[in-house]
């Protein structure tokens, strides 16, 4: 047997037992991709990450990210949580550079013994990436009437910033009432799409700009408590839906409330000429466990 050290964190929160859970294997050398997938299913969190030596010595680490269903090219709460875990393990301060499957992500980190804050810049700018399913299909898959789905300027779109989601706006009461209809979910045919990101403007928190839920049964995650990669892609939806003035915009996105795991994601979006120029996603994380898994 070989022992692999791991830590777990709750991400996009500053309180334990809220936010999105993450397991980080701090040195995954020697593990095959199949073993990484198996270990991820053992932890049974939305995602687990596996830290490897960087391919470029100028970077801090290579990181593989898995859901219980498959490997992710990029994901938000794993990037935030892994950056904090790696920085603490290596005694690093200020900035780390993580090699993910969709590029090199510079991450600013402020690490404390109990957790920290991290903010990454996504090298993949958000964009509309293809057609969305019909409103009727989306509504049925979310157990909602079709009349609940916004079909105006915020009509459903397929957008992404490294990974793709279907962005769907609805009133707050509809967002809260939504639930996956597993009998017809597959009718959405979400090939190369992680899931459906349902959002309303405003939120329960006084400073929340958006209240969101993300459903991804195909990834082995019926509902996600905090989806940083979807927060990185939502600017593509917003700039196509509203007249966003040039400048820097800071949004707070709350998620996980309906799951009893409230999360807060901070998005900093730079807009020029009506187009998104950069996106940064940040949030807090707290350490929960550390130990060893035996392979």
């Amino acid at each position: 047997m070989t022992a692999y050290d791991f830590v777990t964190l709750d991400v996009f929160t500053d309180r334990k037992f809220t936010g999105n859970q993450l397991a980080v294997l701090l040195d995954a050398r020697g593990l095959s991709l199949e073993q990484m997938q198996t270990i991820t299913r053992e932890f049974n969190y939305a995602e687990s990450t596996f830290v490897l030596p960087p391919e470029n010595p100028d970077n801090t680490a290579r990181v593989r990210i898995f859901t219980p269903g498959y490997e992710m090219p990029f994901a938000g709460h794993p990037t935030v949580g892994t950056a904090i875990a790696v920085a603490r393990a290596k005694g690093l301060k200020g900035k780390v550079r993580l090699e993910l499957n969709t590029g090199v992500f510079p991450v600013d980190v402020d690490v404390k013994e109990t957790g920290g804050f991290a903010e990454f810049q996504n090298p993949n700018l958000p964009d509309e990436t293809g057609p969305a399913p019909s409103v009727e299909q989306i509504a049925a898959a979310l157990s909602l009437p079709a009349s609940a789905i916004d079909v105006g300027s915020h009509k459903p779109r397929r957008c992404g910033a490294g990974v793709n989601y279907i962005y769907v706006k609805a009133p707050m009461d509809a967002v809260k009432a939504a639930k996956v209809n597993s009998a017809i979910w597959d009718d959405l045919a979400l090939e190369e799409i992680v899931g459906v990101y349902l959002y309303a403007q405003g939120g329960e928190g006084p400073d929340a700009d958006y209240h969101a839920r993300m459903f991804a049964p195909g990834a082995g995650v019926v509902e996600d408590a905090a989806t940083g990669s979807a927060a990185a892609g939502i600017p593509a939806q917003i700039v196509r839906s509203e007249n966003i003035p040039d400048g820097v915009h800071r949004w707070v996105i709350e998620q996980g409330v309906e799951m009893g795991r409230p999360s807060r994601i901070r998005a900093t979006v730079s807009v020029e000429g009506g187009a998104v120029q950069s996106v940064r996603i940040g949030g807090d994380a707290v350490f929960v466990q550390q130990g060893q898994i035996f392979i």
Side-chain angles (χ1 to χ4, degrees):
M1 287 192 303
T2 302
Y4 289 85
D5 293 332
F6 73 86
V7 295
T8 74
L9 306 93
D10 290 336
V11 184
F12 289 128
T13 181
D14 58 3
R15 293 183 294 120
K16 287 182 183 179
F17 316 128
T18 63
N20 207 352
Q21 297 160 292
L22 175 72
V24 182
L25 269 72
L26 294 165
D27 183 353
R29 287 177 292 180
L31 291 174
S32 68
L33 297 184
E34 291 76 14
Q35 288 173 313
M36 293 179 189
Q37 185 70 77
T38 298
I39 292 167
T40 299
R41 293 182 179 134
E42 178 70 17
F43 279 109
N44 202 32
Y45 294 160
E47 276 136 336
S48 295
T49 64
F50 300 83
V51 180
L52 298 163
E55 295 177 358
N56 182 336
D58 291 338
N59 300 323
T60 308
R62 173 90 167 95
V63 180
R64 309 299 287 260
I65 303 171
F66 287 80
T67 75
Y70 50 71
E71 184 174 10
M72 288 283 286
F74 147 65
H77 96 273
T79 303
V80 167
T82 303
I84 292 170
V86 167
R88 188 180 75 161
K90 294 179 177 291
L92 303 176
K93 295 182 179 180
K95 189 182 290 289
V96 300
R97 292 171 57 86
L98 302 182
E99 298 173 355
L100 306 183
N101 284 356
T102 56
V104 177
F105 284 64
V107 190
D108 293 321
V109 291
D110 180 12
V111 179
K112 302 174 183 177
E113 185 60 28
T114 57
F117 178 87
E119 182 183 58
F120 64 82
Q121 181 164 351
N122 191 343
N124 309 284
L125 288 179
D127 201 359
E128 190 168 3
T129 58
S134 72
V135 169
E136 291 74 20
Q137 287 176 309
I138 294 169
L142 296 177
S143 308
L144 295 173
S147 59
I149 305 300
D150 190 322
V151 295
S153 61
H154 280 258
K155 67 181 181 180
R157 293 180 178 89
R158 170 181 164 168
C159 301
V163 288
N164 299 315
Y165 296 87
I166 303 299
Y167 291 87
V168 181
K169 185 186 178 189
M172 183 69 75
D173 58 350
V175 172
K176 288 181 170 294
K179 61 181 179 180
V180 169
N181 184 334
S182 58
I184 61 174
W185 180 269
D186 288 347
D187 293 345
L188 292 176
L190 300 182
E191 295 182 13
E192 298 184 358
I193 300 169
V194 177
V196 174
Y197 190 79
L198 183 65
Y199 68 97
Q201 289 183 302
E204 296 188 358
D207 61 344
D209 296 283
Y210 298 100
H211 180 97
R213 300 177 71 184
M214 200 286 288
F215 305 96
V221 182
V222 175
E223 182 171 356
D224 197 28
T227 316
S229 56
I234 198 174
Q237 167 77 345
I238 301 305
V239 298
R240 284 162 175 75
S241 305
E242 303 175 14
N243 183 19
I244 303 296
D246 289 354
V248 177
H249 303 269
R250 293 178 174 84
W251 301 334
V252 173
I253 302 170
E254 62 180 29
Q255 192 178 335
V257 175
E258 290 78 10
M259 301 173 63
R261 298 195 66 92
S263 308
R264 286 168 56 86
I265 300 171
R266 299 183 181 275
T268 302
V269 183
S270 176
V271 176
E272 184 177 337
V276 177
Q277 301 299 313
S278 69
V279 177
R280 299 184 67 87
I281 299 295
D284 296 293
V286 289
F287 289 103
V288 180
Q289 302 178 75
Q290 63 181 23
Q292 294 181 318
I293 187 167
F294 300 100
I295 307 301

